[in-house]
Amino acid sequence: MVKLVASPATHAWDISSVGEPGAFDFYRQAIGDLYEVADVSRADAVAFANRTSITLFESGAIGRGRSSAQTLRRPAPLIRRSHVDSINLFLNLSNLRGDCDGRDVRSGPGTIHFRDFSRPSVSNIDQVDVINLTIPRAQAPDWMLAGEIHGLAMPASLAVTRLLAGHLTTLAEVAADLTHEEGDAAIEAALLIAGRGVGRFVRPTADQTEAVYRTVRIRATRAIELRLLDPTLTPDEIAAAAGASRSTLYRAFANYGGVQRRIQTLRLERARDVLRRRAGRHPTVSQVAYQHGFASEAHFSRVFRSRFGHSPGQAASAPVTGQSANSLRQLPYRYDVWLDWLGRSRTG
């Protein structure tokens, strides 16, 4: 196993034919040790774009890639030549048709797929939008090394698939800000959920459980924010949006004051934003309180002061600053760093 002491490395690029006329040819060469690329139309080649980010942890690599429609092939000669040896678990967000060493694969968006990179595969993808978790073979759990895992798919209709999809999505979004320990725990949690999804139950560690709960909290918070002022929002609806059961939802928030406390906190933060933007005394504190689900101005003022250290009427005006779009630095394709990392993981 590779022992990494520095922060996890993240490599990201956003390349298109607009800024680099040879983008498609460069892409095909850069990815050559992973896949043979085919079935890219002339129009897609001319307007080719590839946006990718990869974060390298000790026990695995998480990445997200977006690109044009294409077919990705790993024939036997390429497998022998490339020496890539990993088990890949990926969330596909578009339609996919393919073959995994004789196993026919057809799926829609939201399906979780498993691939053994030591075995042939062909994947025709309508629009590349994939979140990929790479596990070096030496670090993969035993159940992932079984021959039947290659080409296995977890349907999007299953609750466990939705939970795993949410976990992978969250991990890809926050990976660059995690420590090695946090990232490895999150990867272990992903494998735990995946194992449960294919009928291989393993009792979770405390770190794995907390990694799953972190995903549930993040997804639940997003669901709450979408319907923050809706009085009909129920815990069951929040749990469903988070891809978890109601009991798991409650356990995820148990050390954070509970689900209702999270809702109240989010309402207080939105109410404070309204108070900061108001002109003079318009709207009144009472109006803001009722608009944000508080039964009385007195109760609103009490919890507001407890949360922010001052009364609602003292909410200072603050400039409104918009968040800039999250743009990736312009870098060359760096699939080589992923391959180097995988090679070090293989040799220890």
Side-chain angles (χ1 to χ4, degrees), residues 88-93 96 105 107-115 130-131 133 143-144 149 151-169 190 193-195 197-198:
N88 285 37
L89 182 158
F90 65 89
L91 167 63
N92 189 56
L93 299 171
L96 181 149
V105 179
S107 69
T111 304
I112 301 290
H113 294 266
F114 298 86
R115 295 287 188 275
V130 62
I131 296 173
L133 177 59
W143 65 266
M144 292 189 79
I149 201 70
L152 192 65
M154 294 170 55
S157 58
L158 298 179
V160 68
T161 304
R162 295 195 296 272
L163 176 60
L164 180 54
H167 183 72
L168 292 173
T169 301
I193 301 171
V198 297

Side-chain angles (χ1 to χ4, degrees), residues 243-289:
S245 67
R246 184 164 63 172
S247 59
T248 298
L249 176 72
Y250 287 156
R251 287 195 293 270
F253 282 97
N255 295 328
Y256 295 82
V259 178
Q260 290 303 319
R261 174 64 64 83
R262 177 58 60 92
I263 293 174
Q264 183 186 84
T265 298
L266 292 172
R267 287 178 173 176
L268 284 171
E269 290 174 351
R270 185 172 295 185
R272 181 179 62 170
D273 289 341
V274 172
L275 290 168
R276 283 177 165 177
R277 290 173 171 82
R278 66 178 181 161
R281 296 183 179 275
H282 240 5
T284 67
V285 171
S286 178
Q287 289 172 326
V288 172

Side-chain angles (χ1 to χ4, degrees), residues 265-266 268-269 272 302-310:
T265 298
L266 292 172
L268 284 171
E269 290 174 351
R272 181 179 62 170
R302 185 168 61 253
V303 295
F304 190 98
R305 181 182 290 276
S306 175
R307 174 72 177 85
F308 300 115
H310 57 81

Side-chain angles (χ1 to χ4, degrees), residues 159 162-163 165-167 170 215-227 233-246 249:
R162 295 195 296 272
L163 176 60
H167 183 72
T170 301
T215 289
V216 171
R217 288 194 297 271
I218 290 172
R219 291 179 64 79
T221 296
R222 291 173 179 168
I224 293 167
E225 289 174 335
L226 289 174
R227 296 176 57 186
L233 179 63
T234 67
D236 284 339
E237 291 173 320
I238 297 171
S245 67
R246 184 164 63 172
L249 176 72

